[in-house]
Amino acid sequence: MPYNFNQITYRERLTPWAIAQLLPNMQRTIVGRFRSRSDADGHLGCLRQLIPHGSFVVVFDPQPDEETVSVSLTTAQKAVIGG
């Protein structure tokens, strides 16, 4: 039986909650993925403190896109600091 590359992996199924940064022109970037809603809400609070003018939302995304861009929290911190 050939492997189907379009199937999501087991690891991806474990992290259906995501924080998305809302961008102009109805675009979004996934900042992080989490196992539970409470984990996502906690990280969202940190992001809002680090980047107060950013637009972030918690979303339930059971089937992530292959083209999802993931940005780590340290990258977001560097963006705030200007480095």
Side-chain angles (χ1 to χ4, degrees):
M1 185 165 88
Y3 182 75
N4 185 356
F5 288 103
N6 293 329
Q7 289 181 333
I8 61 173
T9 64
Y10 176 70
R11 183 177 175 94
E12 290 170 332
R13 281 185 269 161
L14 290 177
T15 56
W17 293 99
I19 296 178
Q21 181 178 14
L22 303 177
L23 303 171
N25 297 326
M26 299 296 290
Q27 295 179 342
R28 66 181 171 102
T29 298
I30 300 297
V31 176
R33 294 194 165 276
F34 307 93
R35 286 186 181 210
S36 69
R37 169 92 194 235
S38 62
D39 286 348
D41 286 335
H43 281 80
L44 179 63
C46 291
L47 277 174
R48 287 188 173 158
Q49 287 180 348
L50 290 170
I51 309 171
H53 299 294
S55 220
F56 299 98
V57 294
V58 174
V59 295
F60 184 77
D61 187 15
Q63 296 181 353
D65 299 334
E66 292 177 15
E67 302 161 0
T68 300
V69 177
S70 188
V71 178
S72 68
L73 189 57
T74 56
T75 304
Q77 289 171 337
K78 289 178 185 177
V80 170
I81 297 170

